[in-house]
Amino acid sequence: MKRYLVAMKLGLLASLYSGTALAETWIQIEAQPTLTTATEAARGYANSFPNVAGFKLEGRWHVIALGPYASDVAADSARQILITQGAIPNDSFLSDGTAYRQAYWPVGGLGAVTPVTPAAPSVVVQQDTQPAAASVDAPRQETVAEARLSEATLDRAGREELQVALKFAGFYRSTIDGSFGRGTRGSMAAWQAAKGYEATGILTTSQRDEVIGSYRDIVSSLQLTSLTDDTAGLTITLPLGLVEFDSYNPPFAKYKSKNNSGVEVLLISQTGDEATLGGLYDIMQSLEIVPLEGPRQRKTKSFTLTGTDSSMSSTTEARLRSGHVKGFTLIWPNGDDQRRDMALEAMRTWSATDAVLPDAYGDGAAQDIDLLAGLTIRRADKIGSGFYVNANGHVLTSAALVSQCTQIKLDDSDIATVVATQDGLALLAPEAALSPLAHADFDVRLPRLQSEVSVAGYPFDGRLGSASLNYGVIAEHVGLGGEEDLLRLAMVTTTYDSEVGGPVLASSGGVIGMLAPMPNTGRNYPQDVALAYDMEKLSEFLSNNGVTASVSQNDGMSDIALAQYGRDITTLVSCWK
């Protein structure tokens, strides 16, 4: 086995002083007006330096100095290094010590001094093929002074890499400048404390190797590589250790997961304008790869989408330039945030060429109503129907539909919130101003038994894309258990619940009820049985919540007009959890 022993040549005080200091070169780093404050300051510096001395000046001031050094050149070199590292104040200066009087530090007085100059660390590599006892092999921990001298041998690139590694580890949050100031020292101490080391703020050689080694291992695993996709017209740095090219499905160039990493990348490339960019912004949010939770920002020429759920996160960025929409989506599994952040930062430096992915390329993606360019479109957790009850866009729907939703949408686009719920009914209000094509007029007349009615709604979980009408007759003015606020309809509805919440229309065009869910009693009901909340229940609920129901003035309406009216007042209500 190999053992690496680091022998540090330290410039230590050879002995203690007494009397007046010799006229050698000192680095004067501080002066305090009282002996108490000066002693505390000297004690603090002594934790980091082996050659701290304190002297009284004429008058009331007390000096803290480092040295003595054998020459002005040696002292000034040490001063510049220590200032750069943030170890001593920027206004520290050289002194010949002739003004220094009685010594107060180290405590007990100072003896004769042999001026010395700190030497750079020398590394001795020893070969040893025989295993030794643990007590022999265990590396000796560097002292703070040894660690500082070892650190002084780092060049600017080495200091910057250490800051980058500390930043990547989550401890450094300032500028990468190679200067070890207060912020860098604080991050070093925080890292040491987190690792169980003594928090000195000065990393030993082995500790620096540990920080930088972890960083380099992760960089190596990502294999961040600058890649130019000539077909998509993008130059971008990708984590090719985790993804590999898959296919072109306009407007995406797909890079699939490699070695079961769970990471995926989409490069976005298409011709277009601001409307194209806006459409892409809306479409991306309908995909499963863009979860609902997360910040998103839309500008005239660009957008950013961030989504997170229990298993993954994704970031999409796109820009419009010179008639092209270009950008990327990065999909990353949870629990690997450090590598994701590193890859994302590298990808954000992408640039575009004049090439653009054609709208029709290759064999195309798999075709399915639930797919877009081969990607799965996210579907709401629950789909139902509702209808507008005033010109401000308030919607009446089923309370069961909108319970426990983190987000509610009208027609897959307009965000709505629950204003009130009561006894199976829910009133929704759009977050943004909304002007529906039409809103419900209620027919106050009790419909005759066996009179024809129609229900507007979104059957088959809304897959038809627009509201449709279903037809039946009034079978009874009460529910199956004699409930007076229900109507029983003889009507065949779909096995889906997505028609629930739709308006029940009389032949006059007036709303006389709202389709209600069937009771969950475990019974298997006949196929032609449906229930609806009656008009009185609806109007009372609306009135109690500040909405005045409009009264229908129509005595009749053609089948075509009735169908159009039903579609205009009905909206798809989707619940997202």
Side-chain angles (χ1 to χ4, degrees), residues 124-202:
V124 179
V125 180
Q126 298 182 352
Q127 300 288 337
D128 187 357
T129 58
Q130 298 299 323
S135 60
V136 176
D137 285 344
R140 181 180 67 83
Q141 291 297 316
E142 293 174 344
T143 65
V144 173
E146 290 172 331
R148 185 180 290 281
L149 286 171
S150 173
E151 180 185 83
T153 65
L154 294 174
D155 58 14
R156 182 181 181 86
R159 295 193 300 271
E160 289 180 349
E161 184 181 25
L162 183 55
Q163 286 178 323
V164 169
L166 286 166
K167 188 172 187 176
F168 179 73
F171 294 93
Y172 183 63
R173 295 175 177 81
S174 190
T175 306
I176 305 299
D177 55 10
S179 177
F180 290 177
R182 182 175 300 175
T184 305
R185 292 293 174 201
S187 70
M188 291 180 183
W191 181 89
Q192 288 172 321
K195 294 292 183 178
Y197 300 120
E198 181 183 0
T200 64
I202 303 169

Side-chain angles (χ1 to χ4, degrees), residues 292-293 380-384 397-409 415-418 421 426 428 431 573-577:
L292 290 174
E293 290 296 320
D381 294 276
K382 289 189 289 185
I383 295 289
T397 189
S398 167
L401 170 62
V402 295
S403 65
Q404 300 179 338
C405 304
T406 58
Q407 188 179 76
I408 300 169
K409 289 185 178 181
I415 306 298
T417 56
V418 178
T421 59
L428 311 180
E431 286 190 352
V573 179
S574 54
C575 169
W576 306 79
K577 295 184 178 180

Side-chain angles (χ1 to χ4, degrees), residues 166-240:
L166 286 166
K167 188 172 187 176
F168 179 73
F171 294 93
Y172 183 63
R173 295 175 177 81
S174 190
T175 306
I176 305 299
D177 55 10
S179 177
F180 290 177
R182 182 175 300 175
T184 305
R185 292 293 174 201
S187 70
M188 291 180 183
W191 181 89
Q192 288 172 321
K195 294 292 183 178
Y197 300 120
E198 181 183 0
T200 64
I202 303 169
L203 299 181
T204 65
T205 302
S206 61
Q207 289 169 358
R208 292 199 307 271
D209 290 344
E210 184 178 346
V211 174
I212 293 174
S214 297
Y215 169 73
R216 289 177 177 174
D217 287 345
I218 290 177
V219 171
S220 177
S221 70
L222 290 173
Q223 295 182 30
L224 293 171
T225 306
S226 179
L227 174 146
T228 298
D229 190 314
D230 293 323
T231 302
L234 281 167
T235 296
I236 189 170
T237 299
L238 293 181
L240 294 185

